[in-house]
Amino acid sequence: MQFYLKILVFFILLISSVNADDKNSENKWSLYTGTFDFSDEGAKSTLYGVQYINLNSHYDSFLGKLYPVTGFFLTVDNAKYIYTGFQTTYDKGSFNITPSFTPGLYDKGDGKDLRHVIEFKTEIQISYNISKKSEIALSYNHISNANLGNNNPGANSYMFNYIKKF
């Protein structure tokens, strides 16, 4: 687990160094918890995670502005997933719809075997602005190895999120 934490810290420091001297910069941190693989009764587990969203750096695409995102989650069965990728947000007034794609590294621990260390997470999040700098959200994701392994069991999860701008 220390290896994964070191990688996470490295990515956060790397991403946060972009425009670090900009006094008007804002970034988001998301703390979340939920149920890992809720659709597999034998493998479901509680998860806890943290995610960093770099609002200072973006790429304009046909989908809108893509922002770098890096995160990590751990289940109570000691499964771990560290990831980095992109997300975009569609502002709908007080609500936001945020899809993301984040490839990462997975270690099953004592949890579900997803059959490969490289996994891909696609997620959709719906958040509500509770203030100018805070949101609460519900999110759903699917993690899959895209048939890189001999088998591709995948995992479906849902989370409750607290998101804060800094």
Side-chain angles (χ1 to χ4, degrees), residues 32-48 73-77 79-81 106 108 110-115 119 121-123 139-145 151-159:
Y32 59 90
T33 187
T35 301
F36 177 75
D37 206 15
F38 68 86
S39 56
D40 184 346
E41 193 61 41
K44 76 178 176 180
S45 180
T46 301
L47 68 80
Y48 302 96
F73 75 69
L74 175 69
T75 72
V76 295
D77 294 327
K80 297 166 267 316
Y81 185 63
Y106 178 78
K108 70 177 182 168
D110 295 325
K112 185 170 185 174
D113 186 357
L114 294 180
R115 307 290 185 178
E119 297 288 332
K121 179 169 71 79
T122 52
E123 184 168 302
S139 55
Y140 164 83
N141 72 44
H142 177 74
I143 298 176
S144 167
N145 68 34
N151 194 351
N152 186 14
N156 299 299
S157 305
Y158 64 84
M159 285 79 51

Side-chain angles (χ1 to χ4, degrees), residues 8 11-12 15 50-53 68-72 82-85:
L8 178 63
F11 278 115
I12 289 171
I15 291 170
V50 61
Q51 182 169 276
Y52 172 78
I53 303 102
V69 59
T70 301
F72 173 83
I82 184 168
Y83 55 89
T84 190

Side-chain angles (χ1 to χ4, degrees), residues 9-59:
V9 169
F10 170 77
F11 278 115
I12 289 171
L13 291 174
L14 178 68
I15 291 170
S16 64
S17 68
V18 176
N19 292 332
D21 60 342
D22 183 358
K23 300 294 184 215
N24 296 321
S25 68
E26 285 189 331
N27 295 294
K28 290 182 180 180
W29 284 92
S30 174
L31 300 175
Y32 59 90
T33 187
T35 301
F36 177 75
D37 206 15
F38 68 86
S39 56
D40 184 346
E41 193 61 41
K44 76 178 176 180
S45 180
T46 301
L47 68 80
Y48 302 96
V50 61
Q51 182 169 276
Y52 172 78
I53 303 102
N54 184 341
L55 300 177
N56 297 317
S57 178
H58 69 274
Y59 173 77

